[in-house]
Amino acid sequence: MRLRWAGWGTAALVAVTLAACTGDDTPTGAVFDSDRPAELTPEELADQGGDATVEVFGGGAFAQPVPGLSSEQRRDFAVGNNFFNDNWVTAPASTEARDGLGPVFNAQSCSSCHFRDGRGQPAADADDPERGLLLRLSVLDGEGRPQPHPRYGDQLQDRAIRGVPTEGTIVITTTDQPGRYADGTTYSLAAPTYEVLDADGVPFGPDVLISPRVAPPMFGVGLLEGVPADSIIAGADPSDDDGDGISGRAHLLAELEPGGRAGDDGPVLGRFGWKAAVRSVHEQNATAFVNDIGITSSLFDHQPCHAGQRECEAAPDGGAPEIEDRKLEQVTFYTRTLGVPARRDVGTTDTSEGQELFGAMGCTGCHLPELTTGPSDIAALDEQVIRPYTDLLLHDMGPGLADGRPDGDASGSEWRTPPLWGIGLTETVNGHTRFLHDGRARGIAEAILWHGGEAEAARDRFKALDADSRAAVIAFLESL
């Protein structure tokens, strides 16, 4: 049995509620007495980042350093923070440490998309360039394998420096999808459709595969990186041998060599990005610098220019590389050591009931409540019990969330289980409640209702709950 629970207290209520959902005397997702771990204390539940937990709940909740950094580490954190937040400028410039923007790009700084180290969202205004949403691109070769677009590469850059054409414009339209809970309460989902117009206003053809992505929150990534790969891989069940309907699998990748080339060594576990196609925090940062801002590094040393983009190829650069290794290491240290905000409202009636229901619905089959990190030279990350609510595995989420674009070994319908810690502070920090890989969900309930594939049964159990029970599940998630 794959379910992991983070506390007990209302099992009888859960059993009665979900038995009604399944038409069975045994509620799907129930765990019997012999499977129950010792109940965790409120303090243990609140410290969801272990020693890396921070007690900050306002607008800066996602931007705090983990406790216990040395003075030298705090200096690296401060420098990394500076390079994460400050805008890059066009080369040549007097600010040589921060020139080299573009030639094509999506944002001028990391924080343009990860505002306050949090979550991006689709544009509220079509003219808003700092939206935190971008498009991955692919075309299929003669054997049906995904390849970068021959002119635009594997990411659309919709901004450019002076004298260089942008690659295109994103047009998003939505269609209303009405639905109804079992108790008769109605809801509506906004299904997005994406179109790309090139610099001349001509739509991209149907052969171009498009995958929209919003920027995920940055805090806690050092802890997730520290979970041993063997532990994550051991949780995979690609053939669903236990018959629970969940078949998560690890995304195994070739080793990455300097220059961004795939090496012969590996496989290496992918654990970051919406498709778990990134191996490490360092790689994630270097990838974002070159693709999102146009800043080269020793890991990715080529500008995001492609065949036929003459103005892009002829544009000035900020040196080779444009961000030196030491500065990139400090940005990586900064992102690795962003603390996890403590859980709130632990032990209230609503959050306790919601926690039980979340497990009994089967949600913890993918959103594992507990992981353990391995050794680290940063004390707050060293061998910590953490509660991120993710298994870091790929899961088939069904046709409703499929984008049709493979990424590495991940299919168009497979997505990495996103961590849920901090989800309840998104509105406080980022001023919105847009969730899922493209921000289509306008709140937590909508995010659940979009689930399909391996999560379809859990979604249907949520839909079968009465209004009070649904509110309890949301209250629990908002406490994380």
Side-chain angles (χ1 to χ4, degrees):
M1 185 170 291
R2 300 180 77 251
L3 297 183
R4 302 273 301 276
W5 295 71
W8 300 90
T10 57
L13 171 63
V14 173
V16 171
T17 303
L18 293 186
C21 301
T22 62
D24 191 330
D25 291 337
T26 303
T28 304
V31 181
F32 296 99
D33 288 342
S34 61
D35 295 319
R36 296 182 183 178
E39 186 169 353
L40 298 173
T41 67
E43 291 76 15
E44 289 172 318
L45 290 174
D47 288 344
Q48 51 188 359
D51 290 344
T53 303
V54 294
E55 298 275 345
V56 178
F57 309 116
F62 300 161
Q64 305 303 309
V66 300
L69 296 182
S70 67
S71 58
E72 181 179 354
Q73 289 173 329
R74 290 189 69 87
R75 283 194 297 273
D76 285 341
F77 182 92
V79 173
N81 177 35
N82 187 273
F83 275 86
F84 188 90
N85 286 289
D86 281 3
N87 284 347
W88 290 77
V89 298
T90 305
S94 58
T95 54
E96 292 183 359
R98 287 184 176 82
D99 70 349
L101 175 69
V104 290
F105 60 99
N106 299 106
Q108 288 184 258
S109 70
C110 305
S111 61
S112 295
C113 298
H114 302 278
F115 180 59
R116 293 177 174 173
D117 300 289
R119 189 184 305 265
Q121 64 173 320
D125 183 331
D127 295 324
D128 173 19
E130 308 294 347
R131 53 182 163 265
L133 181 143
L134 53 81
L135 296 186
R136 301 276 193 233
L137 305 175
S138 289
V139 293
L140 299 180
D141 63 19
E143 299 181 6
R145 296 172 301 190
Q147 303 292 338
H149 190 284
R151 180 175 176 86
Y152 302 111
D154 58 8
Q155 181 168 311
L156 181 80
Q157 281 90 14
D158 57 355
R159 301 177 69 187
I161 65 174
R162 185 185 300 273
V164 177
T166 63
E167 294 182 339
T169 303
I170 306 169
V171 179
I172 307 173
T173 56
T174 58
T175 303
D176 183 64
Q177 290 188 354
R180 189 181 301 272
Y181 291 104
D183 64 5
T185 304
T186 60
Y187 62 82
S188 177
L189 303 178
T193 301
Y194 298 89
E195 184 180 38
V196 182
L197 308 179
D198 67 18
D200 297 321
V202 178
F204 279 22
D207 59 323
V208 182
L209 306 180
I210 297 171
S211 181
R213 313 283 178 86
V214 294
M218 297 300 300
F219 65 89
V221 296
L223 290 165
L224 297 177
E225 186 176 51
V227 178
D230 289 348
S231 175
I232 297 168
I233 294 170
D237 185 17
S239 301
D240 190 20
D241 291 336
D242 60 7
D244 66 354
I246 298 172
S247 51
R249 64 189 189 89
H251 196 174
L252 301 178
L253 308 163
E255 183 66 81
L256 192 68
E257 295 183 348
R261 295 173 293 275
D264 297 327
D265 295 333
V268 179
L269 177 69
R271 64 179 81 201
F272 296 110
W274 287 103
K275 298 279 191 179
V278 180
R279 303 154 186 81
S280 67
V281 177
H282 180 76
E283 179 190 342
Q284 179 66 54
N285 289 338
T287 301
F289 266 115
V290 72
N291 288 334
D292 301 354
I293 311 177
I295 299 300
T296 60
S297 65
S298 61
L299 187 58
F300 296 105
D301 53 9
H302 296 290
Q303 299 285 1
C305 303
H306 300 277
Q309 293 181 304
R310 294 185 299 275
E311 297 90 346
C312 183
E313 292 176 334
D317 61 45
E322 290 169 326
I323 183 170
E324 61 186 67
D325 287 348
R326 176 58 178 155
K327 293 295 189 294
L328 181 57
E329 288 168 2
Q330 288 169 314
V331 174
T332 297
F333 182 85
Y334 167 72
T335 52
R336 276 181 176 147
T337 55
L338 286 167
V340 177
R343 185 179 158 192
R344 287 88 48 219
D345 300 324
V346 177
T348 67
T349 300
D350 282 350
T351 60
S352 295
E353 178 184 337
Q355 183 172 322
E356 290 285 356
L357 288 167
F358 186 79
M361 288 189 301
C363 302
T364 49
C366 301
H367 292 283
L368 293 185
E370 186 176 294
L371 296 170
T372 303
T373 71
S376 173
D377 57 355
I378 301 170
L381 309 183
D382 182 43
E383 297 184 337
Q384 300 297 309
V385 176
I386 58 175
R387 297 177 178 83
Y389 285 88
T390 178
D391 58 7
L392 298 175
L393 298 173
L394 292 173
H395 294 274
D396 190 326
M397 298 300 292
L401 291 178
D403 61 16
R405 177 186 178 268
D407 192 340
D409 195 34
S411 74
S413 61
E414 287 183 307
W415 302 94
R416 184 201 69 158
T417 306
L420 298 180
W421 52 13
I423 192 171
L425 290 171
T426 301
E427 185 169 16
T428 298
V429 175
N430 295 126
H432 68 83
T433 55
R434 303 299 292 264
F435 301 112
L436 298 178
H437 65 280
D438 58 358
R440 69 177 63 190
R442 296 165 294 189
I444 293 175
E446 285 192 22
I448 297 172
L449 292 168
W450 272 110
H451 282 48
E454 296 174 39
E456 181 177 353
R459 177 204 66 197
D460 289 347
R461 294 178 194 125
F462 177 73
K463 291 173 66 175
L465 297 175
D466 61 32
D468 289 342
S469 296
R470 294 196 305 271
V473 173
I474 301 304
F476 160 64
L477 292 169
E478 288 179 341
S479 77
L480 296 179

